[in-house]
Amino acid sequence: QFLYLIGITMTPPAALSGSNTTMVPPPAGPEDASPLVVVVRHFLLFVLLAGLAGTVDFGHMKAVLIAPRGVAVGLLCQVVLLPFLGFVSVNTFHPEDVVRIQVLVTTMVPGGALSNYFCSLFNADLALSIAMTTASTLLSLLALPLNVFLYIELLSGTTMSIPWGGMIESVCVAAGGLLCGLLISAKRPTWKKQCGVAATVAVVLLTVYTLFATTKKAPVWDRCATFYLSVAFPCVMGIFLSHLAGTAARLTPQQGTAVTVECSYQNIGIATSLAFVAFPGGDEQAVALGVPVFYGACQGVMVVCYCTLMWKLGRSYAPPSCAVWEMLKHDFQPADKAEKEECLSDSELDSEAPAVGSPASPTSLSYARPSSA
């Protein structure tokens, strides 16, 4: 509040009263931002990212960082493509001002931690997904104010404050969780199963909290058509165009799937916090909160459908012939060959086993059935 009063004092009166400029009110603070809620939310985010990073093979992560083409393509889609799609959407469907600002903000925030979970669940390149989440989260401290200035202040004539305290807290928690998980992966590779269980529990609790904290204030089932179209358009087009970008960059199929998921899946928690800050109360806040809620529903449905299609097309580490519950249950990331054996059918094992008396190739040895002894 003190910094806001200083900004008002130093702002020329014409900028406050002009018809072409909209001043967003000072933050009154989210109603659910009690210290206990904030601590629990940050703790769950830390556990989720640490658990997912702990399931990654450390050698594979180093290979991704040494050849960062996938990370570069993902950042280009996340930081440049998606905010541009948000700008195109609000200028095509012309929603009300509150929805217009919040759609732009939602497409500007960094990628969500659940994108890593979907890459793990559907066996895309998890190491690349975690590397992109780390990079986009750190880069958001620079990219978010630049995009806000370009698309909201310069092109839309609206002045908006950014909650730097909450942003820095989220970045520190995310970076700390990822680094802790990578340290576990490097020093305790046998803890992968426990890390996966911890990440699953954290994602369930975070999902329940997000739905409870937002939908009670922002019902989204009674909006006009322009609301649904303007919010869904960036998500749908983001999946399509980022998939084309990964193909054009000649990424591996698994890397292309991870890039697409990372680009389309936004951090709804940060977008919701920005809605609390920009619209501190009343009907405008309820309208603004509906944007990340509906966007989160769209990205969840679209990412699940996309990942399922990519799995069946062979663009996942999981074999397309594997049953769906086995694909979701087992980890097929590059280092985990033992669980692949359990998922492959008997016919596949027999067809890939070496003939009696013939030298066994490395591939056949990788998929050979363990002896009964």
Side-chain angles (χ1 to χ4, degrees):
Q1 297 289 351
F2 176 72
L3 293 177
Y4 174 79
L5 292 175
I6 292 178
I8 290 296
T9 304
M10 299 178 64
T11 303
L16 300 177
S17 59
S19 59
N20 295 328
T21 302
T22 302
M23 287 298 297
V24 175
E31 297 180 13
D32 65 337
S34 66
L36 179 60
V37 170
V38 172
V39 170
V40 172
R41 187 170 55 197
H42 286 341
F43 174 75
L44 292 176
L45 178 62
F46 182 91
V47 172
L48 171 61
L49 293 175
L52 290 174
T55 64
V56 174
D57 179 65
F58 191 71
H60 185 48
M61 172 62 76
K62 290 193 294 184
V64 168
L65 297 177
I66 292 174
R69 181 171 55 178
V71 177
V73 175
L75 288 179
L76 183 65
C77 294
Q78 181 83 49
V79 176
V80 178
L81 174 62
L82 203 58
F84 175 73
L85 290 176
F87 180 75
V88 171
S89 178
V90 298
N91 284 278
T92 300
F93 301 106
H94 303 288
E96 57 182 305
D97 290 342
V98 174
V99 175
R100 174 175 57 84
I101 294 174
Q102 191 60 35
V103 168
L104 292 173
V105 169
T106 303
T107 56
M108 293 173 188
V109 298
L114 289 182
S115 62
N116 306 141
Y117 187 76
F118 278 111
C119 287
S120 173
L121 192 65
F122 288 91
N123 294 283
D125 196 322
L126 180 58
L128 176 59
S129 177
I130 289 178
M132 285 188 293
T133 297
T134 306
S136 67
T137 301
L138 296 176
L139 188 62
S140 66
L141 294 177
L142 175 64
L144 181 61
L146 288 178
N147 281 322
V148 166
F149 173 75
L150 175 62
Y151 291 111
I152 295 182
E153 298 188 5
L154 188 62
L155 298 179
S156 300
T158 300
T159 301
M160 180 179 178
S161 60
I162 298 176
W164 288 109
M167 283 288 298
I168 293 175
E169 283 182 9
S170 299
V171 169
C172 291
V173 171
L178 291 169
L179 291 176
C180 180
L182 292 177
L183 183 63
I184 293 175
S185 175
K187 300 298 184 181
R188 293 290 187 272
T190 58
W191 290 7
K192 288 185 178 182
K193 185 176 180 179
Q194 291 83 349
C195 289
V197 172
T200 301
V201 173
V203 76
V204 170
L205 295 177
L206 274 175
T207 303
V208 171
Y209 164 78
T210 302
L211 291 175
F212 176 77
T214 55
T215 55
K216 66 178 182 179
K217 299 178 181 297
V220 296
W221 51 83
D222 189 22
R223 305 295 179 92
C224 59
T226 56
F227 171 84
Y228 299 113
L229 292 173
S230 59
V231 176
F233 178 84
C235 180
V236 176
M237 292 303 298
I239 288 181
F240 176 72
L241 294 179
S242 57
H243 178 84
L244 293 181
T247 303
R250 297 183 178 180
L251 301 178
T252 66
Q254 295 80 10
Q255 289 178 338
T257 302
V259 165
T260 303
V261 172
E262 186 69 25
C263 173
S264 60
Y265 210 98
Q266 295 296 88
N267 194 321
I268 299 304
I270 293 180
T272 302
S273 299
L274 290 172
F276 277 118
V277 170
F279 308 99
D283 295 337
E284 287 189 341
Q285 186 184 86
V287 171
L289 286 173
V291 174
V293 170
F294 184 66
Y295 189 96
C298 288
Q299 68 185 9
V301 173
M302 293 298 299
V303 166
V304 169
C305 295
Y306 173 80
C307 290
T308 303
L309 178 62
M310 294 300 103
W311 162 54
K312 283 300 183 182
L313 292 178
R315 298 180 63 87
S316 165
Y317 287 121
S321 59
C322 186
V324 61
W325 59 86
E326 293 175 334
M327 181 269 297
L328 297 175
K329 176 182 177 182
H330 295 293
D331 185 0
F332 293 91
Q333 296 298 318
D336 299 309
K337 300 296 185 182
E339 290 187 276
K340 272 184 184 177
E341 300 171 356
E342 300 177 4
C343 184
L344 291 174
S345 62
D346 291 338
S347 59
E348 289 175 318
L349 287 168
D350 295 338
S351 62
E352 295 188 16
V356 177
S358 63
S361 63
T363 303
S364 62
L365 285 176
S366 298
Y367 295 97
R369 186 193 304 276
S371 63
S372 59

